[in-house]
Amino acid sequence: MWNLQENIDNVLEAIENDLREQVSELRSKSPHFLPRLAIVQVGGREDSNVYIRMKLKAAENIGIMAEHIRLPRDCTQTELLTKLTYLNESHQVHGIIVQMPLDSEHQIDSHLITDAVFSHKDVDGLNTENEGRVSIGDFSGFVPCTPAGCVELIKRTGVTIAGKNAVVLGRSRIVGTPVAELLKWENATVTVCHSKTKNLSEITKTADILVVAIGRAEMVRGSWIKPGAIVIDCGINPIPDPTKKSKQRLVGDVAYEEAAKVAAYITPVPGGVGPLTVAMLMRNTVLAARRQLERQLRPSWGLQTLRLTPLSPPPSDIVIARSQKPKHIAKLAEEIGLYPNEVSQYGTTKAKISLSVLDRLSTQRGGKYIVVAGITPTPLGEGKSTTLLGLVQALCAHRGRNAFACMRQPSQGPTFGVKGGAAGGGYSQVIPMEDFNLHLTGDIHAVTAANNLLAAQMDARIFHELTQKDSPLYDRLVPKIKGVRKFSPIQLRRLKKLGINKTDPDSLTDEERTKFARLNIDTNKIMWNRVVDLNDRYLRKITIGQSPTEKGFTRETAFDISVASEIMAILALGKNVEDIKDRLANMVVALDKSGNPVTADDLGVTGALMVLLRDALEPTLMQTLEGTPVLVHAGPFANIAHGCSSILADKIAMKLAREGGYVATEAGFGSDIGMEKFFDIKCRAGGDVPHCAVIVSTVRALKMHGGGPAVSAGQPLHDVYVQENLELLDKGLCNLGKHISNGRKFGVPVVVAVNRHGNDTEAELNLVKKYAEQNGAFKAVICNHWAEGGAGALELADAVIEACDNKSNFDYLYPLNLSIQEKILVIAKEMYGAGRVEYTDEVLEKIQTFTEKGYDKLPICMAKTSNSLTGDPSVKGAPTGFTLRINDIFVSVGAGFVVPMCGEISKMPGLPTRPAIYDIDLNTKTMEIDGLF
């Protein structure tokens, strides 16, 4: 008889060495990566403690981070399940085991508990899914540890299992049943015995391999064993032993001394199967960690796309959108590498994505960065959103690349006004388009509430300062609560700003109290309006404070549309939560009577704003018609702000897309407005380097720039737009040339997407393509994604891939150390083609004030019409040498840019004579929305 104990230590050492090498290999791929095991224990049984100490020691030896989570004996089943849910959803935990037996005062279903551990973290192999896989010979899950240790020991004897008679004594789901299955799939002939088996000793005598897991001390005698058999004893039982200090000793289910005289190989107890069980647990943990890391690092998502069956001619956008059943958003999230704790579902088709993804993937290299902009558009739009989505569908669903679309959330102003929906169009859309266009996950409403809370607090503070003397005003600002008087953290920040280095409210002098309590806002120099997410022309100028309760303190103010709020711009430009909070704190809402800025922090509202915006800080995951991912976040007004989706959404998308992937995002309007702001404001704030710019062009818009009649929403197109007219088109190509030139000035390749419309002729499309390629475009392609989805944008996808493979020579248009006027002049000349810039005296005074306050180091966010390269919306084409007039200027200190106003730019659109409202309705039988587009 050869005692397996002689070889067990060598086996364990070999396994541990192998696992240490595997851990080292994993860390070479990701330096901060470490396999993590959570060991959950209910109660404190000493035998369980012994096993747990063995596991913790083994983990430490291998390089696994093991955490022992102790739950008290009064832990309930619900509390235990809650803890397991947390561990299941944590990306930092790769393996979970629940130490059995459960030592609880309450009844807990142990089978329910083992099944509650996610199968891909069930390193004990006790989840029913893993057990079922083993039973059919599928070892892609996790094999239970003790059975795996048994088979490992048998193999280490050098004896071939195939063809042998194996008898398993015991049918428990932890050892007996799974070890029988493992031996079966090793091609042994297996007999399972249990308490009801007759002639047990006769059956065990037939075994070449005998595995005993019956739980009865020394039940199997030497006479039960076939000479030369392999005996694996899985039992461990205490029996009385007066010679021991504890008066007990541990024995197996086999009478060892008797069996050792008969068997060729036998495992001792203790010290046999137990250590191998722990080693198998460590092996499973490393395997779980490897699988997670490989999933994280794999170059392709392996996305399951949705098939399109385009109709010709395409039906309405909403009919197309409803013809496709979206994937469950949890499925899409899993496909692109998100973990359950990073996804907060809003129903089945949209979900908020946690910013913690950026921490988890901090060392992950990101994908290529693409901006989609346009030429100077008609009021109908030229299909930037549609092109963006068609491009991403082509990249992801057809070219197999990881690719994200990042988009702004549509405002309800245009939705119910002129444009209708903004989810793309035709077979290149975000779905469900109703959700996308209406409310979504409430971000715009959160911005509205935050903006208006700040306005309400400002007006309330003005009222209270006007109606109270210094002492009661101070006492109300710093009241005694349960006899204790103290400053809140935000009040301490104001004291520091004022140079008052005191923390005891009672220690301030009268002068200091007055200085602290009075903001002295100049009501003629208030810069903060209320907002609403609708077009409402009658709110462009209002009078507030007319109620008798306001004691006659009225003033004129206005409402803006919600997406024009500085808070929306901040949401889009913040790099992280702290950055957003700092920007909110620094928002200047008014000047005091001495001309000093009054900020949101001075009003004590920063923390409250963050609370209202908490959920809005996270981007929303949706999908295209072909099941590819879209991140929707923020919606800053493109005329008055920078008109791009959020930096946070782009950063998350680039991390998830990985090094070989692509992230395409849209910039509002043409290259002169949206793209310039994307490069000079957004990229500067986020620190990301773009690889390619896509300029969307249409024959229709170029004909308009060639002198075609006005294009108006809701009006039939003139004949020149529906019939071939190469001469008119040729005259308008200069506008496309200017936009190509604009993109190239930033050092990125420009790909022109000629967005095909139904009335375009091949001669017209080819004329645009030829012109673009002869005038600086990296590539120009004709696209038909509206009618065909991603398949209609394959040439565009290939051109973008090729452009992104070129080295980016990106640079900003201007350095920040230039003066405000110098930066404006650079933009006016280089982007618009202006010859000079003209300012009113009032604007020059404001520029001087901004410079004195240090705002001259901020980038410029030009507020200009989108309908022309000039400040005059009626001027088309690509004029040069004109004078650009700046008639007003303001600063968004929190957002971090100076806004010169070129002409009249309304921050509150109005409804047209026939708004889209007329077409929008709710079907009261199906509860479906009609008429969005």
Side-chain angles (χ1 to χ4, degrees):
M1 190 279 300
W2 174 49
N3 187 337
L4 273 180
Q5 181 64 58
E6 300 172 6
N7 201 34
I8 285 175
D9 290 341
N10 293 332
V11 172
L12 290 171
E13 184 179 2
I15 292 172
E16 286 191 357
N17 286 339
D18 175 61
L19 294 178
R20 268 192 291 270
E21 288 179 10
Q22 290 191 48
V23 170
S24 178
E25 177 201 348
L26 296 178
R27 300 201 67 180
S28 69
K29 295 178 180 178
S30 180
H32 300 289
F33 185 82
L34 197 63
R36 293 176 183 268
L37 171 67
I39 304 172
V40 181
Q41 179 185 18
V42 177
R45 285 177 51 136
E46 184 53 34
D47 55 346
S48 293
N49 291 337
V50 170
Y51 297 139
I52 290 171
R53 284 194 291 269
M54 289 172 58
K55 294 166 185 174
L56 293 173
K57 183 178 179 181
E60 183 181 5
N61 289 341
I62 292 165
I64 295 171
M65 178 67 73
E67 180 185 8
H68 182 191
I69 299 169
R70 297 178 174 89
L71 300 177
R73 290 192 72 248
D74 63 357
C75 173
T76 65
Q77 179 169 285
T78 300
E79 290 167 343
L80 177 54
L81 289 170
T82 300
K83 173 58 72 173
L84 292 178
T85 298
Y86 168 77
L87 295 172
N88 278 330
E89 294 184 347
S90 173
H91 69 269
Q92 295 181 323
V93 175
H94 306 112
I96 304 168
I97 65 169
V98 181
Q99 187 65 42
M100 297 292 178
L102 299 168
D103 180 23
S104 176
E105 297 172 358
H106 304 282
Q107 185 172 354
I108 298 179
D109 183 342
S110 60
H111 188 78
L112 175 68
I113 296 304
T114 53
D115 269 4
V117 178
F118 281 175
S119 61
H120 64 274
K121 294 191 177 187
D122 170 39
V123 289
D124 244 350
L126 301 180
N127 180 289
T128 300
E129 183 178 332
N130 282 324
E131 290 181 329
R133 284 176 173 169
V134 170
S135 70
I136 61 171
D138 176 1
F139 302 111
S140 61
F142 292 108
V143 176
C145 298
T146 299
C150 292
V151 173
E152 183 73 20
L153 282 172
I154 295 168
K155 288 180 176 179
R156 295 283 179 165
T157 66
V159 173
T160 301
I161 298 175
K164 297 293 192 297
N165 288 325
V167 173
V168 177
L169 186 51
R171 57 180 173 181
S172 74
R173 62 185 292 260
I174 295 177
V175 181
T177 297
V179 82
E181 298 295 343
L182 291 178
L183 290 169
K184 178 181 72 177
W185 293 113
E186 291 288 342
N187 297 309
T189 301
V190 182
T191 302
V192 178
C193 300
H194 44 77
S195 59
K196 304 297 182 183
T197 301
K198 296 179 179 179
N199 301 319
L200 188 58
S201 62
E202 296 302 314
I203 296 173
T204 59
K205 285 180 185 178
T206 67
D208 302 311
I209 299 169
L210 177 63
V211 181
V212 185
I214 200 70
R216 292 176 60 183
E218 299 184 327
M219 174 182 173
V220 176
R221 315 308 299 183
S223 60
W224 293 25
I225 298 170
K226 178 181 180 180
I230 298 172
V231 179
I232 306 295
D233 189 351
C234 300
I236 185 161
N237 311 280
I239 62 172
D241 187 341
T243 67
K244 301 290 183 181
K245 185 176 180 180
S246 64
K247 305 301 181 186
Q248 287 185 331
R249 64 185 174 91
L250 297 175
V251 298
D253 292 349
V254 178
Y256 182 84
E257 296 299 332
E258 295 180 19
K261 296 174 182 177
V262 182
Y265 307 98
I266 185 169
T267 57
V269 176
V273 172
L276 262 295
T277 298
V278 174
M280 295 301 104
L281 174 65
M282 298 302 118
R283 178 182 284 179
N284 281 350
T285 301
V286 173
L287 177 60
R290 176 182 292 280
R291 286 172 176 170
Q292 177 174 309
L293 185 61
E294 287 175 349
R295 176 173 172 244
Q296 181 178 315
L297 297 180
R298 67 188 178 192
S300 175
W301 290 325
L303 199 73
Q304 292 183 11
T305 58
L306 302 177
R307 187 171 65 174
L308 288 182
T309 52
L311 300 177
S312 183
S316 69
D317 290 348
I318 199 161
V319 169
I320 292 172
R322 287 180 181 159
S323 69
Q324 186 71 286
K325 181 174 176 56
K327 287 186 286 190
H328 196 292
I329 201 66
K331 173 64 175 174
L332 176 61
E334 181 185 3
E335 287 177 340
I336 62 176
L338 289 165
Y339 292 93
N341 65 320
E342 296 168 338
V343 180
S344 300
Q345 293 183 42
Y346 282 61
T348 61
T349 57
K350 57 192 180 215
K352 283 286 190 180
I353 305 305
S354 172
L355 303 185
S356 65
V357 174
L358 293 172
D359 294 327
R360 174 170 68 87
L361 300 178
S362 60
T363 60
Q364 171 74 52
R365 298 185 68 177
K368 302 294 177 64
Y369 201 22
I370 304 150
V371 62
V372 178
I375 62 171
T376 307
T378 69
L380 302 180
E382 308 320 304
K384 287 195 313 300
S385 301
T386 307
T387 302
L388 168 70
L389 294 166
L391 167 62
V392 170
Q393 288 179 164
L395 285 168
C396 196
H398 297 267
R399 290 293 184 247
R401 308 297 182 100
N402 295 351
F404 263 99
C406 290
M407 305 180 71
R408 288 179 294 167
Q409 179 182 345
S411 166
Q412 290 179 165
T415 299
F416 289 104
V418 176
K419 290 181 66 177
Y427 288 97
S428 296
Q429 292 190 59
V430 180
I431 54 172
M433 68 100 79
E434 302 100 310
D435 290 17
F436 182 77
N437 287 303
L438 299 171
H439 307 301
L440 195 60
T441 48
D443 291 0
I444 294 181
H445 303 319
V447 169
T448 302
N451 184 101
N452 293 345
L453 176 65
L454 177 51
Q457 167 64 351
M458 177 179 62
D459 283 315
R461 183 61 175 267
I462 292 169
F463 174 81
H464 291 309
E465 288 189 27
L466 288 171
T467 57
Q468 298 180 52
K469 294 182 179 180
D470 291 353
S471 181
L473 178 62
Y474 179 79
D475 289 342
R476 288 188 174 100
L477 284 170
V478 196
K480 280 188 177 181
I481 300 174
K482 296 182 179 180
V484 178
R485 192 179 198 184
K486 64 179 183 178
F487 293 114
S488 68
I490 202 167
Q491 289 178 322
L492 289 172
R493 289 205 297 273
R494 172 159 170 76
L495 286 170
K496 185 177 180 181
K497 178 180 176 180
L498 294 171
I500 302 172
N501 297 313
K502 297 178 180 178
T503 57
D504 180 2
D506 294 323
S507 68
L508 271 66
T509 66
D510 289 344
E511 182 182 356
E512 288 171 336
R513 292 183 181 204
T514 300
K515 191 176 179 182
F516 169 80
R518 292 204 175 274
L519 298 178
N520 289 321
I521 292 173
D522 185 341
T523 54
N524 294 314
K525 295 181 179 178
I526 291 175
M527 300 171 241
W528 197 260
N529 292 340
R530 287 166 172 81
V531 299
V532 63
D533 190 35
L534 292 169
N535 292 358
D536 193 342
R537 66 176 62 248
Y538 273 81
L539 293 178
R540 289 172 179 169
K541 190 173 185 179
I542 62 170
T543 302
I544 61 171
Q546 296 189 78
S547 168
T549 57
E550 310 325 307
K551 303 182 186 298
F553 298 125
T554 63
R555 71 177 181 89
E556 287 188 347
T557 183
F559 269 79
D560 301 331
I561 194 164
S562 296
V563 289
S565 170
E566 184 176 353
I567 293 176
M568 182 63 84
I570 287 171
L571 186 64
L573 286 173
K575 291 183 291 186
N576 51 54
V577 175
E578 284 301 320
D579 184 35
I580 291 173
K581 187 173 185 178
D582 289 342
R583 289 172 180 267
L584 292 173
N586 292 329
M587 290 187 300
V588 176
V589 299
L591 300 180
D592 66 18
K593 292 173 182 177
S594 300
N596 298 312
V598 178
T599 67
D601 223 42
D602 291 327
L603 285 163
V605 76
T606 306
L609 299 182
M610 287 296 291
V611 169
L612 285 173
L613 295 171
R614 186 186 67 165
D615 293 339
L617 299 175
E618 299 178 339
T620 300
L621 177 66
M622 296 188 75
Q623 63 192 283
T624 68
L625 279 166
E626 297 190 58
T628 67
V630 179
L631 280 183
V632 187
H633 201 210
F637 207 23
N639 289 99
I640 208 73
H642 65 294
C644 302
S645 65
S646 78
I647 286 172
L648 284 171
D650 290 358
K651 286 185 179 294
I652 289 173
M654 282 192 281
K655 292 292 187 182
L656 290 171
R658 303 167 195 164
E659 189 173 0
Y662 298 84
V663 173
T665 189
E666 182 184 352
F669 300 127
S671 72
D672 55 318
I673 300 181
M675 190 182 74
E676 184 273 318
K677 294 174 183 178
F678 171 83
F679 288 141
D680 280 324
I681 297 176
K682 183 177 179 181
C683 291
R684 202 187 303 258
D688 297 308
V689 176
H691 295 81
C692 171
V694 175
I695 300 293
V696 180
S697 175
T698 63
V699 168
R700 178 182 65 198
L702 292 172
K703 285 181 176 179
M704 180 190 71
H705 288 293
V711 175
S712 301
Q715 298 298 317
L717 288 172
H718 191 278
D719 286 348
V720 299
Y721 297 113
V722 297
Q723 297 172 3
E724 184 175 287
N725 192 323
L726 296 175
E727 181 182 357
L728 189 63
L729 175 61
D730 187 64
K731 290 179 181 178
L733 288 170
C734 58
N735 187 267
L736 172 58
K738 178 57 179 166
H739 289 285
I740 295 170
S741 171
N742 284 354
R744 295 189 66 195
K745 284 174 182 173
F746 290 92
V748 296
V750 175
V751 174
V752 172
V754 187
N755 188 15
R756 179 192 292 269
H757 284 192
N759 297 312
D760 300 340
T761 68
E762 293 302 318
E764 289 174 328
L765 294 167
N766 287 322
L767 178 61
V768 177
K769 177 181 177 182
K770 181 179 178 182
Y771 176 89
E773 291 181 337
Q774 290 177 345
N775 285 270
F778 177 83
K779 284 281 180 72
V781 295
I782 298 166
C783 306
N784 199 25
H785 43 275
W786 180 80
E788 299 176 5
L794 287 176
E795 283 189 64
L796 176 60
D798 293 339
V800 166
I801 290 170
E802 188 179 346
C804 288
D805 286 340
N806 283 1
K807 185 178 182 297
S808 176
N809 297 310
F810 172 72
D811 199 4
Y812 308 116
L813 192 63
Y814 54 82
L816 292 180
N817 59 8
L818 294 182
S819 69
I820 290 174
Q821 286 153 289
E822 287 172 326
K823 285 182 279 199
I824 292 172
L825 183 61
V826 170
I827 296 171
K829 284 188 171 184
E830 298 297 329
M831 292 290 103
Y832 313 154
R836 59 188 294 267
V837 179
E838 189 178 87
Y839 303 88
T840 66
D841 291 340
E842 184 182 0
V843 169
L844 291 173
E845 288 177 14
K846 288 183 177 181
I847 289 175
Q848 184 177 346
T849 301
F850 294 167
T851 302
E852 290 169 357
K853 297 184 181 303
Y855 302 152
D856 60 318
K857 299 300 183 286
L858 297 175
I860 301 297
C861 184
M862 299 289 283
K864 181 184 75 69
T865 178
S866 60
N867 295 323
S868 173
L869 287 165
T870 74
D872 182 350
S874 66
V875 177
K876 304 303 180 184
T880 59
F882 57 88
T883 298
L884 185 73
R885 291 176 176 82
I886 310 296
N887 62 299
D888 197 5
I889 192 167
F890 66 90
V891 62
S892 295
V893 179
F897 46 67
V898 175
V899 185
M901 304 283 287
C902 309
E904 293 300 320
I905 304 293
S906 174
K907 294 193 284 182
M908 172 52 80
L911 291 173
T913 304
R914 192 193 186 283
I917 290 168
Y918 283 91
D919 302 309
I920 297 173
D921 198 3
L922 180 69
N923 186 315
T924 54
K925 292 183 178 179
T926 65
M927 298 305 288
E928 289 185 333
I929 296 167
D930 297 325
L932 270 180
F933 215 51

